[in-house]
Each structure stands twice: as C-alpha cells, then as structure tokens.
Amino acid sequence: KEWMTTGRRPDGVQPQCFTPVTRVERPCDPDEVGVDRIYVTWTAFNNPTGAPNAIVSSTIELSYSDDRGHSWSPRRTINGSAPFCVFAFAGANNCDDNQFSVPTVNPTNGHLWVAFENFNTSDENQILVVRSRDGGVTFEGPFFVTPVFDVNLRLTADCVARGASRVHLTNSCFRVPTTLGVVADKRGGDFADDVYIAMWDNRNGTRENTNGDVFFFKSIDGGSSWIGPT
C-alpha cells in the first residue's frame, strides 16, 4: 500500500544522497539533484523471523529522495504515539497498527503531512495525521482527524461461502477498504497551513443497510485540529 508525493524542500534543508542497499549518506551528484524532495510512504507488516503470519506491528514507514529517485534515505517509522491509541502491539500508547498512508506537501513552504488509518482503538478505527516541517527528518503528532465507521459493515455467510472473508456492502460481496485523500494548499506560513482530507465510510448506514458517503475535513492550523465532517 505504498504512496508517493513530491514537493519543494523546506528552507534550510540541504539535499541528501545515499548509497544503495546500505543507505549510508554520500555526496550528491549536482547533475542529479532536483528542486523537489520525493517522498514514499508504505505499511510495514512486521513479523518475527521464521513466523510470517505472526505480525507484531503494522507501522507507517517513510523514505525520501533528493536526486530524482537515484537514491533513497533509510526507512523510518513515522506513526508515533498518542493517548487516543490503545491496545498497541508494543503496549503504552503506541499507534502501531496502521494502513493506507497518503503523503502530501505544501508547495509553498515544503511542509509534509502523512494521513493514515489507525486500528489501535476499542471500537471504530480512526484517521490520524503526522506533520513534518523539516523534510521528513522529524515529525509532530499524530493528530486525530475522525473515527472511521467501517467496523459496522457486513459479513454474511453467503459471501463467505463465495470466498469473501472481509466485510462488504449491502447486495454485494465486494470488499471496500476505507482509503482517503489528503492535500495542502498554498497559504503557507509556519502555522498557517490549510490541509484537507476526503474519505468515505458507513457512518450514515447500518450493518443491514450500508450507506457509504464521502466526507470532507479541513484544518486551518496545519493539521493540529480538524473541522468536519461535511
């Protein structure tokens, strides 16, 4: 479930280049360095050696490239911890059960956001966002956006018999995961970033009669708090 975005490096952030495989930092080739930093995020289903089905965490990872994809930074885990994350694999308030990460960059100041779905809850899942102002070197958050009402979807014996072992919509056996889109606008400023998220869920439906709708959320303080749903 990897996703990619690109945008300008924040002011003061210097290009970095790395050796293949070992990811040791090396001098950059000036002919390869681009004006933007490319970001890739993905889900890592982490499991012990020799136990491929024994997942011990599901983390959001990030890597970036300043030389137009020729080399990539070492991967790093960015999902963080927060009081609204419970039942973590690692205990405490680690937000370590996640999927569906989507990054976006403000084209004016280069600030980066990554939104993702988190499952460290006692009931419905949740959308969280982390923020970086230094090109993905350090992150703030996660910040809570909204519950995700997809636990109340259906799982019927008829669909299970036909091979659909995941929750689905009324009158079908299609699995429908809750994915999202996130984007930042150009207003800029250290604390003036506007960020927008669109997603869908079944909050207006029931298990017997699903009703998937698309919802819009916005933040006017750089992702720290959110207004919605609309």
Side-chain angles (χ1 to χ4, degrees):
K1 301 178 176 67
E2 67 280 355
W3 209 263
M4 181 176 69
T5 193
T6 186
R8 57 164 289 187
R9 283 184 297 276
D11 292 340
V13 175
Q14 298 301 312
Q16 292 179 287
C17 300
F18 303 88
T19 58
V21 184
T22 59
R23 300 292 191 262
V24 175
E25 190 169 356
R26 61 166 175 81
C28 292
D29 182 343
D31 293 333
E32 293 180 349
V33 172
V35 297
D36 290 338
R37 177 165 281 187
I38 309 171
Y39 301 91
V40 173
T41 67
W42 69 95
T43 306
F45 295 102
N46 304 301
N47 39 352
T49 302
N53 296 319
I55 295 175
V56 297
S57 64
S58 178
T59 53
I60 302 301
E61 306 292 315
L62 173 136
S63 180
Y64 57 79
S65 173
D66 284 322
D67 55 3
R68 295 180 290 178
H70 289 274
S71 70
W72 293 86
S73 67
R75 61 184 276 183
R76 58 168 303 174
T77 302
I78 64 172
N79 42 259
S81 61
F84 41 75
C85 289
V86 296
F87 307 119
F89 286 103
N93 293 120
N94 290 287
C95 302
D96 60 0
D97 189 2
N98 314 281
Q99 288 193 54
F100 302 119
S101 61
V102 183
T104 187
V105 176
N106 185 319
T108 298
N109 57 26
H111 293 172
L112 166 72
W113 291 263
V114 182
F116 54 94
E117 186 174 9
N118 172 265
F119 303 91
N120 294 115
T121 63
S122 58
D123 188 13
E124 300 288 348
N125 304 323
Q126 55 192 355
I127 299 297
L128 307 181
V129 171
V130 293
R131 173 181 64 215
S132 176
R133 305 174 200 258
D134 56 10
V137 177
T138 62
F139 278 87
E140 303 165 79
F143 305 104
F144 175 83
V145 180
T146 178
V148 177
F149 291 84
D150 60 357
V151 174
N152 68 341
L153 295 178
R154 312 171 74 241
L155 181 58
T156 61
D158 175 63
C159 287
V160 171
R162 289 157 55 179
S165 60
R166 304 295 183 98
V167 294
H168 53 271
L169 303 178
T170 306
N171 300 323
S172 80
C173 290
F174 293 111
R175 179 191 177 195
V176 188
T178 300
T179 53
L180 58 92
V182 59
V183 70
D185 80 355
K186 296 183 177 182
R187 189 156 64 99
D190 286 343
F191 296 96
D193 298 292
D194 289 351
V195 192
Y196 307 96
I197 284 179
M199 48 85 73
W200 87 274
D201 68 17
N202 192 42
R203 70 185 66 197
N204 289 336
T206 65
R207 191 178 297 273
E208 291 71 30
N209 186 18
T210 56
N211 178 20
D213 288 309
V214 177
F215 298 99
F216 173 81
F217 297 84
K218 70 175 180 179
S219 173
I220 58 175
D221 58 6
S224 298
S225 63
W226 291 83
I227 302 166
T230 300

